[in-house]
Amino acid sequence: MTTAYDAVVLAGGSARRLGGVDKPAVRVGGRPLLDRVLAGCRDAGRTVVVAAPRATSRPVAWAREDPPGGGPVAALDAGLRRLASLPTDGAPPAPLALVLSADLPFFDADTARRLAGALDAAPDAEAALGVDTDGRHQPLVAAYRTEPLRRALTRAAAEHGGTLDGLPLRRVTEALRVVPVPPAPGHSGPFDASFDCDTWGDVATARTRIREHGHVLNEWITAVKDELGIDLDVDTAVLLDLARDAAHGVARPAAPLTTFLVGYAAGRAEGGPEAVAEAARKAAALAQRWAAEQDDAG
């Protein structure tokens, strides 16, 4: 089991290369970039976003660096301080913190677990930094041991006249023992979890990629679940098979209506993925019996 972790998401910055727009609010696949990142760190015990408060798809706490616009190191320090002030509901504080920028359209929960798991596998390491497809370490796609990170921030401030304003992140990460975390197998090209949207060209690339045949269905299902507040992992292949059987064996409009009824039945049963699978199994068996009767009649 992966060690428990919290999350700090840095959502400030001026977005100069995007013309100064509110970058975390830019939508990819119908969802703001910030919400996509928050979905990826949904397993975090507590999440702090360093930015001015706004509506988000998941509950978070808010922090602001002082002064606003002081750069990523100042924002990270503010996020960790806010995290330390949050209740833990009686549990010990998480020893790890994910640190993420808010412009990562392809960051997902699997990447979060891989980053935290890399520290589990390397007890002497103090940070696990994502590595992009060009081999560069990404300190804002990373997991850190919280206490060494706080000490590194304190040292950096002391060496910089008591302030973190304007410091580059490398001044912090160079003081830590780092383990690199390469892209997951199959995440080729610019579409790994560390791909960020610095320019409108990057945004266009991300929007095009999620509509490719191999990605569009999962992207759509994830977007719908976030929009409806459904935190449930289901086997989409089972539902697609059911829709196919209902469409071919009964009538085409039966496909969406049947899958809706399966979801409704699972909700009535207050079940999770197992309840969906069981309802889908019963409905698929019915569709097959229905089709068999039609064949016999023919």
Side-chain angles (χ1 to χ4, degrees):
M1 177 180 292
T2 301
T3 300
Y5 55 84
D6 295 318
V8 176
V9 181
L10 309 188
S14 60
R16 288 188 298 271
R17 295 171 69 187
L18 286 173
V21 302
D22 182 9
K23 183 162 64 166
V26 171
R27 294 180 182 272
V28 172
R31 294 187 290 158
L33 285 169
L34 175 57
D35 281 350
R36 295 180 71 92
V37 174
L38 292 178
C41 57
R42 62 180 180 267
D43 294 333
R46 302 170 299 168
T47 299
V48 171
V49 178
V50 186
R54 66 183 68 209
T56 55
S57 61
R58 295 176 181 274
V60 301
W62 298 92
R64 203 72 170 109
E65 72 273 28
D66 185 22
V73 177
L76 173 55
D77 183 66
L80 286 179
R81 291 178 184 275
R82 180 73 174 102
L83 194 61
S85 74
L86 296 177
T88 61
D89 297 327
L96 309 182
L98 292 179
V99 176
L100 308 164
S101 61
D103 60 350
L104 305 169
F106 307 128
F107 184 83
D108 56 15
D110 179 63
T111 302
R113 288 188 288 266
R114 291 180 67 243
L115 290 169
L119 288 180
D120 284 341
D124 292 334
E126 297 169 322
L129 305 189
V131 178
D132 66 20
T133 51
D134 292 325
R136 295 172 297 201
H137 288 193
Q138 300 294 325
L140 293 182
V141 188
Y144 296 86
R145 297 197 193 277
T146 309
E147 290 308 317
L149 179 58
R150 288 197 178 105
R151 290 195 296 269
L153 287 166
T154 299
R155 286 195 300 270
E159 295 167 358
H160 194 59
T163 179
L164 297 171
D165 187 14
L167 276 182
L169 268 171
R170 68 174 180 275
R171 290 286 296 274
V172 176
T173 57
E174 67 188 10
L176 300 172
R177 294 188 296 274
V178 169
V179 58
V181 182
H187 288 64
S188 59
F191 305 126
D192 64 287
S194 63
F195 178 84
D196 56 2
C197 289
D198 284 335
T199 68
W200 285 114
D202 295 334
V203 173
T205 296
R207 288 172 172 171
T208 298
R209 187 260 179 163
I210 67 166
R211 287 168 172 78
E212 293 174 357
H213 175 71
H215 305 287
V216 65
L217 185 59
N218 284 337
E219 284 286 345
W220 172 248
I221 294 299
T222 300
V224 171
K225 289 194 296 185
D226 276 1
E227 191 73 15
L228 299 180
I230 300 170
D231 194 8
L232 179 67
D233 290 326
V234 297
D235 189 342
T236 55
V238 168
L239 295 179
L240 289 173
D241 288 344
L242 169 61
R244 179 202 61 210
D245 291 343
H248 293 171
V250 182
R252 188 170 297 277
L257 293 173
T258 304
T259 52
F260 163 77
L261 291 171
V262 163
Y264 182 76
R268 286 283 301 272
E270 298 183 356
E274 298 82 5
V276 175
E278 176 61 14
R281 184 193 64 76
K282 290 180 178 178
L286 175 61
Q288 290 164 3
R289 294 197 302 270
W290 186 290
E293 288 180 9
Q294 288 181 311
D295 293 341
D296 290 343

